[in-house]
Each structure stands twice: as C-alpha cells, then as structure tokens.
C-alpha cells in the first residue's frame, strides 16, 4: 500500500475536490462539477486568507480526501482561538480505511499548532454515519445549529 500525504490544495486539485463534494446524496443536490468557475473564485479567496487552510490527502498524485480548516480568533472563552473543520470528504474508494480519521487528526494537530483551545465542526443532521465517526474520534454533540439561506 502506498503512503498518503496531506498537503495544501493547489488550483489543479479543484476538480477532484468538487467531485468528492458532489459524490453523495446531499452534495449531489448542491454542487456542480460541470462548472468550476465559482469554485476557482472561492479557491482564490481561500488562498488569500491566512486563517483558511484547504488541504487534500494525496496518494501517488491522486486526490483522495479533503477538508477545510478555519482558524478563528475570538473574545469568548477568555479570548481563545478556535478552529472549524468543514467540507470533509473522502473519495469513495478510500472510505472505511482510516483516511478520514487521519485527516481529522491532522486538523486537530494543526489546530493545536495554531494555538486553538477548541476544535468544532458541524455535520448535516442526515449524516448519521458521520456523527458516529466524529464521536469515535472524541467529538461530542454540544449545540443545535441553525442556518439562514441567503
């Protein structure tokens, strides 16, 4: 088995990332791999913000996983810094082999390195398998999330 590396995403990774974002029932309704223009614009915004880390898991030059880590300085919790993990996706051929845990472990370690006191994430209420996965990694369900579609 080859080694998987975690590295910053580059512009050439966008198509593979979007394909993974679209490769499930929820993503298929909100992602559009046929037009990468908005994703390229988003990538440029991410690259210009030092508090945004978009990474990919790479196996022999093929993108097989991704996540976004956002570092948020704040006043609450005595001025603590927190991180938010978003957009975690694993290529269907890699699921169930520990890559998701490896990516989350990377994000937690990077959060510590960045001085964060808290790591948080959200998961769609329909993703019950993901909820069990995050709980196995030590995350606890602690809040009720709300969204306002604009």
């Amino acid at each position: 088995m080859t080694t998987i590396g975690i590295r910053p995403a580059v512009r050439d990774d966008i198509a593979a990332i979007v394909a993974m974002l679209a490769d499930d029932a929820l993503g298929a309704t909100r992602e559009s791999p046929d037009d990468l223009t908005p994703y390229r614009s988003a990538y440029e915004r991410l690259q210009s913000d030092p508090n945004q880390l978009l990474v990919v898991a790479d196996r022999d030059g093929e993108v097989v996983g991704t996540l976004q880590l956002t570092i948020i300085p704040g006043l609450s919790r005595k001025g603590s810094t927190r991180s938010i993990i978003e957009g975690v996706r694993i290529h269907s051929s890699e699921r169930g082999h520990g890559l998701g845990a490896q990516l989350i472990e990377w994000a937690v370690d990077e959060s510590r390195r960045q001085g964060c006191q808290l790591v948080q994430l959200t998961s769609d209420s329909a993703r019950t398998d993901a909820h069990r996965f995050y709980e196995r990694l030590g995350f606890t369900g602690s809040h009720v999330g709300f969204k306002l579609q604009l």
Side-chain angles (χ1 to χ4, degrees), residues 8-30:
V10 297
R11 190 173 174 85
D12 287 344
D13 296 329
I14 295 171
I17 293 169
V18 173
M20 285 186 291
L21 291 172
D23 186 28
D24 67 30
L26 293 174
T29 65
R30 55 187 183 208

Side-chain angles (χ1 to χ4, degrees), residues 92-146:
S92 58
S93 67
E94 296 286 335
R95 292 179 194 146
H97 300 291
L99 178 55
Q102 186 179 344
L103 267 172
I104 297 298
E105 181 179 297
W106 176 91
V108 170
D109 288 346
E110 180 63 18
S111 297
R112 281 192 188 101
R113 194 185 74 71
Q114 296 265 353
C116 296
Q117 289 79 38
L118 178 72
V119 179
Q120 58 191 48
L121 55 81
T122 61
S123 180
D124 191 283
S125 58
R127 296 186 190 277
T128 55
D129 289 343
H131 302 168
R132 286 190 296 275
F133 166 74
Y134 293 125
E135 288 169 351
R136 278 196 312 270
L137 296 177
F139 288 82
T140 58
S142 62
H143 289 71
V144 174
F146 298 90

